[in-house]
Amino acid sequence: MKAKRCPYINKPCIEHECTMWTHIQGKHPQSGAEQDMWDCSIKWLPILMIENSREVRHTAAAMESARNEITQRQDLLNNAVTLARSNQRIEPPEAPKIAS
């Protein structure tokens, strides 16, 4: 087996001695397999970027759903106000008179 080499110093990996040595637990975003292992954070970057992209897509979908719901309710309110105004003339309130 070939020894791991550090991409920064181009020497054998020092594993737990290195600040880039990271422990990851959770599910792999592509395979769904459980992950619980130590490895170089440089190696983890592609996997974490895939997971981050997936979370951003879920957040964007939730925001779009909320926007659609708000727009629908605002349209209902606007229609109700228009109907109420057409059925009776609503006069604006008089401005208060300032005492001199």
Side-chain angles (χ1 to χ4, degrees), residues 47-86:
I47 294 169
L48 295 174
M49 289 171 67
I50 291 168
E51 177 66 17
N52 185 52
S53 296
R54 190 176 75 181
E55 292 300 319
V56 167
R57 279 193 303 274
H58 288 160
T59 302
M63 291 291 292
E64 183 177 355
S65 177
R67 183 199 65 85
N68 291 341
E69 182 70 24
I70 290 168
T71 302
Q72 182 183 22
R73 289 180 184 223
Q74 186 64 46
D75 289 344
L76 288 172
L77 178 63
N78 291 345
N79 290 339
V81 168
T82 302
L83 182 62
R85 283 188 178 164
S86 67

Side-chain angles (χ1 to χ4, degrees), residues 15-28:
E15 296 186 354
H16 291 283
E17 302 290 320
C18 180
T19 58
M20 302 295 278
W21 195 250
T22 306
H23 184 228
I24 297 286
Q25 292 179 310
K27 291 187 177 187
H28 191 284

